Amino acid sequence: EDANLDESWRNAMKAELEMIEKNNTWKLVDRPFGKPIIGVKWVYKTKLNLDGSVQKNKARLVAKGYSQKPGIDYNETFAPVARLDTIRTLIALAAQKEWNLYQLDVKSAFLNGVLKEEVYVEQPQGFVKENEEIRVYKLNKALYGLKQAPRAWYDEIDSYFNRAGFKKSPSEATLYVKTSEDSGILIVSLYVDDIVYTGSCPKLLEEFKNDMMQHYEMSDLGLLYHFLGMGVLQTDKHIFLHQKKYALKVIEKFGLKDCKSVVTPLVASERLCKEDDSEAANESEYRQIVGSLLYLTATRPDIMFASSLLARFMHNPTRKHMGTAKRVLRYIQGTLDFGIEFIKGKSATLIGYCDSDWAGSEDDRRSTSGYAFTLGSGMFSWASIKQNTVALSTAEAEYVSAAEATSQAKWLRFVLEDFGEEQVEGTPILCDNTSAIAMAKNPVFHQKTRHISRKFHFIREAIQAKEIELIYCKTEDQIADILTKALSKDRFVYLRDLLGVKSAKGLEGSVDV
């Protein structure tokens, strides 16, 4: 009622309804007998101006999807979104090829999705048509809030890409590639209503943008600058990924804005376990901190192990766990400007690193695997994973880690092939354990390997097929070591640099991120 009396909000609501009518989203019909009618509500978005005043920005009509029933007014709801690994792979490739990355934003994306089910909604509050109060709207297209809205939008945009001559990646459902013998290649990655695209030919890029803007209401955001909470800095020399703005918000949220920073996220000599005789901590706050840290790992592999370790204690965390989580935040406070740097013009050779600790978990003595992949500069794919079984030796732990890295390498090879960058040679994966390498190459250690789950032995097939090549590297040069355990200051800083995690302030041609 208050919004309806405010002229600014009234205009915002009118603009939303005009967009819905223009899009042929619905049709006013008589109320159907025996059919469920879904309610709708207005959602208002505001924006804070620099002077502290509130800008009444947008009103959106949202369906009360929680009242929908499966099989009656919705069926399939799943809609794929791009993996962060895919986005970073695209950015790493663009840097290597010295391409620019661009972004489009679809206005009211979900209103474009064509519905397959019969769905009826009430007339929106404040805009009920006079003398037709008992009538309802039958939806031709989706509204925000409907359970099937994301699926309907994905089906619609997927159909457009198929008509436009794009080929969908079999390995990543939101990745589309268009190639031309004359013009080169155009690569598009979709994340709901955000579209990132790049390619070798400016003409292809321009044609794609113009065609998209003809088919849908679009905002041309120009060079990719901000995506999924990540800042993207593109210069002539490099592409730099960071999350400074988000990191600052996290630190302020948990009251550590003026805290004293630390050099490493974890103390090398300290071990965490479920029962440590300290008092219980606030579980809700702890989970919020860990969730925030896990999101920061999108551009910060240097906190990947610490975040994964803390995530093991989500249930009944103690004061010691909370203290460790806040230490990681103090480390973030001292490295706010840090992110991943991809240097332009480097060779597009996929190289992997894999490592494991041994029985590092105090609670169940399981080991932690870590892997990282690069295309020449800066890691673009990484993980820190607690193993599912107890390893009886360091060789077994390293062998399992190598198998997990091989699985990721195979997927990355598929994605790069879709990008037009087929890896002809086997992908080198660097491992610092000679016994694990011997086990992978020759099944001769029967006494030592007979108990290992067969699923890990597919690494041998990958080696025989020349898809990967397991190579020995010295322990001191093993970059994935930072993903498996807490390290001393000097070791941590050395490996962090090798990961490509650097401060934006030290980069040539950079601006304050």
Side-chain angles (χ1 to χ4, degrees), residues 101-139:
L101 292 145
Y102 300 93
Q103 185 176 14
L104 294 170
D105 179 67
V106 186
K107 296 180 182 177
S108 304
F110 286 0
L111 301 185
N112 293 290
V114 179
L115 292 178
K116 297 175 182 177
E117 305 88 357
E118 269 191 48
V119 181
Y120 298 89
V121 298
E122 296 174 348
Q123 295 186 52
Q125 189 178 4
F127 293 87
V128 178
K129 295 195 179 291
E130 193 174 348
N131 299 324
E132 297 187 277
E133 291 84 354
I134 63 169
R135 302 189 84 193
V136 296
Y137 283 111
K138 180 183 179 182
L139 294 182

Side-chain angles (χ1 to χ4, degrees), residues 457-484:
H457 292 311
F458 86 103
I459 186 174
R460 294 172 179 168
E461 294 181 5
I463 291 173
Q464 290 171 3
K466 296 185 178 179
E467 293 174 324
I468 71 148
E469 185 181 0
L470 213 55
I471 299 173
Y472 174 76
C473 75
K474 295 179 181 178
T475 300
E476 50 266 31
D477 297 326
Q478 178 53 266
I479 299 176
D481 192 32
I482 199 173
L483 300 168
T484 64

Side-chain angles (χ1 to χ4, degrees), residues 188-206:
V188 180
S189 184
L190 179 70
Y191 196 99
V192 190
D193 56 355
D194 282 317
I195 296 171
V196 176
Y197 63 104
T198 187
S200 59
C201 177
K203 182 182 176 184
L204 262 182
L205 297 173
E206 190 66 25

Side-chain angles (χ1 to χ4, degrees), residues 172-433:
E172 178 62 87
T174 57
L175 186 66
Y176 298 86
V177 180
K178 188 176 186 179
T179 54
S180 168
E181 292 183 5
D182 302 329
S183 305
I185 189 169
L186 170 64
I187 305 170
V188 180
S189 184
L190 179 70
Y191 196 99
V192 190
D193 56 355
D194 282 317
I195 296 171
V196 176
Y197 63 104
T198 187
S200 59
C201 177
K203 182 182 176 184
L204 262 182
L205 297 173
E206 190 66 25
E207 287 176 355
F208 168 71
K209 181 182 75 173
N210 293 336
D211 196 41
M212 283 291 288
M213 296 185 82
Q214 284 180 5
H215 280 82
Y216 306 104
E217 289 281 336
M218 307 286 294
S219 296
D220 178 13
L221 303 180
L223 281 174
L224 180 63
Y225 176 73
H226 192 267
F227 185 71
L228 301 180
M230 297 186 293
V232 184
L233 179 63
Q234 301 186 62
T235 72
D236 294 336
K237 299 286 182 71
H238 60 255
I239 298 177
F240 185 75
L241 283 181
H242 67 91
Q243 288 172 289
K244 180 179 179 180
K245 189 175 180 181
Y246 179 74
L248 202 53
K249 282 183 179 178
V250 171
I251 289 167
E252 289 177 353
K253 178 180 178 180
F254 297 106
L256 295 172
K257 185 178 180 182
D258 299 318
C259 69
K260 184 178 179 181
S261 63
V262 292
V263 182
T264 61
L266 298 172
V267 178
S269 59
E270 192 173 77
R271 294 293 187 98
L272 295 182
C273 58
K274 290 182 180 178
E275 303 292 338
D276 55 26
D277 298 327
S278 62
E279 296 178 16
N282 185 322
E283 188 170 306
S284 175
E285 182 184 8
Y286 180 82
R287 290 186 175 192
Q288 289 179 54
I289 292 176
V290 175
S292 300
L293 290 175
L294 287 170
Y295 185 62
L296 274 171
T297 61
T299 60
R300 297 292 299 271
D302 52 325
I303 63 165
M304 186 77 238
F305 172 71
S307 304
S308 300
L309 176 65
L310 291 168
R312 299 174 190 176
F313 309 105
M314 291 292 216
H315 183 61
N316 294 332
T318 66
R319 296 284 286 275
K320 186 175 181 180
H321 299 144
M322 180 67 81
T324 304
K326 290 193 173 181
R327 178 188 170 87
V328 181
L329 290 178
R330 288 169 60 203
Y331 167 73
I332 295 292
Q333 163 75 351
T335 56
L336 281 172
D337 294 305
F338 279 47
I340 288 283
E341 177 196 19
F342 299 103
I343 300 172
K344 289 191 173 181
K346 293 283 185 176
S347 62
T349 303
L350 182 64
I351 302 172
Y353 296 82
C354 69
D355 194 28
S356 174
D357 70 343
W358 184 43
S361 173
E362 291 289 307
D363 295 305
D364 53 20
R365 310 314 298 176
R366 293 183 184 178
S367 305
T368 299
S369 300
Y371 64 71
F373 287 87
T374 177
L375 270 179
S377 77
M379 299 295 162
F380 67 91
S381 176
W382 54 80
S384 178
I385 311 161
K386 187 178 178 182
Q387 295 180 6
N388 292 325
T389 56
V390 176
L392 301 184
S393 65
T394 55
E396 181 183 340
E398 296 275 5
Y399 184 74
V400 172
S401 172
E404 289 168 345
T406 299
S407 178
Q408 181 70 358
K410 287 171 72 75
W411 180 78
L412 290 172
R413 287 170 65 90
F414 292 147
V415 172
L416 287 170
E417 185 177 351
D418 295 333
F419 285 160
E421 291 294 322
E422 183 180 0
Q423 303 293 297
V424 179
E425 302 293 331
T427 299
I429 297 180
L430 281 67
C431 174
D432 61 4
N433 189 284

